[in-house]
Each structure stands twice: as C-alpha cells, then as structure tokens.
Amino acid sequence: MPSGDRTRFHVRLRPPTVPAPPEELDPCDEGPYDHTVLTMIGCSDLAATDAAAEAGGFGAPWHFDVSYDLSAFLEDLDRLLTAFHDRTPYALDLYPQGVERTLTFTFPAPDLVAVHCASRTDWVPSPATEHHPYDRLHSQLTTLARTFATALETAGSRTAAHPPFPAWRAGHFAPTPVTLVHPDDLPRVLAARAPARHHRVGTTGAASLDDLYDAVRRTLPLDPPLHGHSRSWDALDDSLFGGLHADDDRAPLITFTDLSALPPLELRFVHHEFTSLATSLANPAHTRGRPTHVQFLIGRTDA
C-alpha cells in the first residue's frame, strides 16, 4: 500500500492476497441488496482476509479498519464519484465511532477540489480544509473503487458480481442513476452529461407524491398508459419500465425541475423507486438483451 503523505487526505485499500475462508463469507441469499448493504457485506468479507485499509488527512493519519470504517466511506463512493463527474458539492458522513467526521467536497475551480473536515470528536483537524488537484484526487478515488471491486473477486465475495462492482473493475464509473442537484445547477449538469434524449418534468411546487405522480403521468413515456384517478406507484413503475424500454433511446436523462417541497421521507421513497427502476432497465436479463441506462436528475435546494 503506497504511503505518500499520510497527513493529507487519502483513503486506500491493500487488497487481499488469498481468498477468505468460505465459511466466513456472507452467502448473499436474502437479496435484493442496495449499494449500501453490498458494500457492508463486501467489507465484512474482506475483513476475513489479510486486506487492510489506510486513511488520513488534515494533519494526521487515522485509525481506519476494513470492516466498518472503510465500509462507511465506500457506501458513499458512487455518489461522491458522481459529484466529481458533475463538479457539484458533496458531504460524506464518516459515522463510525472514533472517526465521526464529515468531509465536504467542493470544486472552486475546474482543476481544484477543496475538502473540508468537520470533526465530531475531541480531535481537531489542522488544517480544516485541504486543496487537491482535481485529477489527482479523482484518480485516487477511482483507484480505490477499482481496487475494492477487484479485491471482492480475490476474496471470493459473492457481492463481486453485483453492480456497480463489475463496471468498477473495468474502469467504468458512470454517474449514479438518481442524483440530487441544486435547481440552479441543473442546466450546467445537463450540459455536462450531454444526453441524446432529455425529458424535462416540471415539478416546481410539487409537495406530495400525488403531485409527482401526476407530473410523471403527464410527461414521460408510459406503456401501457395510465388512466383514471387512482395513483398506484407499482402501476407507474411498470408503465415507466415499458415506456422507457420501448423508446429508441438507450440512455435517456430525466430531470425533475424542483422537488424541494417534497418531504424528506417521500423523497427517500422516490429515490429508492427510481433507483430500482433504473437498475431493472439496465439489466439485460430483464430487458431481453436490450438494456436502457436511464438517469434521473432531481432538483433540490438542500442537495
């Protein structure tokens, strides 16, 4: 594991040299699992090997283990890489006891990343903010993603076959299917992603799931169409799947202009529903070998 400056921000993984004992691996037989659970299981499997993690920054090396501390960082790594792709601010919470700090990444210039550390323990970061070259820090994070995904295979972890890990092993780091973006940043992010097909759903002022449901039904391709006044999210999911799958565009981008008025609990439901829909559409087994890689951008002032 290269050391470099252990007092500047970094997170690294030394991969295992041998597989984990089979009896210590999670069977992964109670899925489906979301990204957070997959990283937790994967890190638990790696902890049964000789893998090791190292992290530090803001004036000091950190105590950082594989099973818990690294897992907390990796839970957010896909969203952090999306923030790097779009150059939008992102706050990553390292919640494990003893670490307990929040890292906020901002992009004051195209070739620069500012990383601010806020500690929730007696430890005081010094300095509290570091500046890193964009390319160097982005490369460090993508190297961590690829090393982790490869380490899962070496360990024999059954999580290795689950998205996004095969893509990470191949060096592909696409934006997450569902991204929250400040409404003012939507035009810039949209231009950066340059979609072939863009669906704009007007949701400014939408304050409930019913409001969002009606906006989707008015705007997006549905197959079969939805009629009547009843609102079923299961039916909407099936209809959206059919409509997007039938469309010629294999990589549509859908933006919701502003869902700031939607309560946080309902936003979490929407995030889960759209993530599940995007995952199903991208699965060749669910689409007769004709996957669609849809992305959702959600305008949100607290993003």
Side-chain angles (χ1 to χ4, degrees), residues 264-298:
L265 187 61
E266 295 188 353
L267 179 66
R268 285 196 292 273
F269 170 81
V270 169
H271 194 289
H272 178 271
E273 287 293 305
F274 288 159
T275 299
S276 177
L277 174 62
T279 301
S280 295
L281 279 165
N283 190 332
H286 295 169
T287 56
R288 300 187 296 277
R290 190 170 172 265
T292 295
H293 301 280
V294 61
Q295 296 176 36
F296 297 91
L297 290 180
I298 296 178

Side-chain angles (χ1 to χ4, degrees), residues 70-254:
L70 180 64
S71 173
F73 188 86
L74 289 170
E75 286 175 20
D76 270 8
L77 183 54
D78 60 340
R79 290 183 287 271
L80 179 57
L81 289 172
T82 294
F84 266 72
H85 179 278
D86 296 331
R87 286 178 168 79
T88 52
Y90 192 78
L92 189 153
D93 181 25
L94 288 173
Y95 56 80
Q97 186 174 6
V99 182
E100 298 170 79
R101 61 206 60 170
T102 300
L103 305 178
T104 302
F105 298 78
T106 55
F107 304 86
D111 59 350
L112 193 66
V113 185
V115 190
H116 179 77
C117 180
S119 172
R120 299 192 296 276
T121 67
D122 292 338
W123 174 69
V124 178
S126 180
T129 301
E130 295 180 356
H131 292 86
H132 295 260
Y134 176 94
D135 289 345
R136 185 181 302 170
L137 188 52
H138 184 251
S139 177
Q140 181 193 132
L141 294 172
T142 57
T143 296
L144 175 63
R146 179 181 282 178
T147 301
F148 175 69
T150 303
L152 295 177
E153 279 197 326
T154 302
S157 174
R158 292 173 177 84
T159 62
H162 290 260
F165 306 135
W168 285 6
R169 281 192 293 276
H172 300 148
F173 308 100
T176 51
V178 182
T179 306
L180 303 185
V181 178
H182 193 284
D184 293 344
D185 285 336
L186 276 173
R188 180 179 57 79
V189 174
L190 183 63
R193 298 198 183 186
R197 178 74 60 84
H198 173 225
H199 301 277
R200 180 183 181 276
V201 185
T203 52
T204 302
S208 68
L209 289 177
D210 285 351
D211 292 341
L212 176 59
Y213 187 103
D214 291 340
V216 169
R217 185 164 56 179
R218 287 193 302 267
T219 309
L220 295 182
L222 302 177
D223 184 13
L226 297 175
H227 302 290
H229 300 290
S230 62
R231 299 179 179 91
S232 164
W233 277 86
D234 286 341
L236 180 63
D237 181 77
D238 291 341
S239 185
L240 266 176
F241 182 99
L244 292 170
H245 176 62
D247 197 87
D248 290 335
D249 186 21
R250 303 269 61 83
L253 190 147
I254 298 170

Side-chain angles (χ1 to χ4, degrees), residues 6 53-56 60-66 69-70 96-99 101:
R6 300 180 68 229
E54 178 190 292
W62 306 345
H63 171 78
F64 208 75
D65 65 27
V66 170
D69 303 330
L70 180 64
Q97 186 174 6
V99 182
R101 61 206 60 170

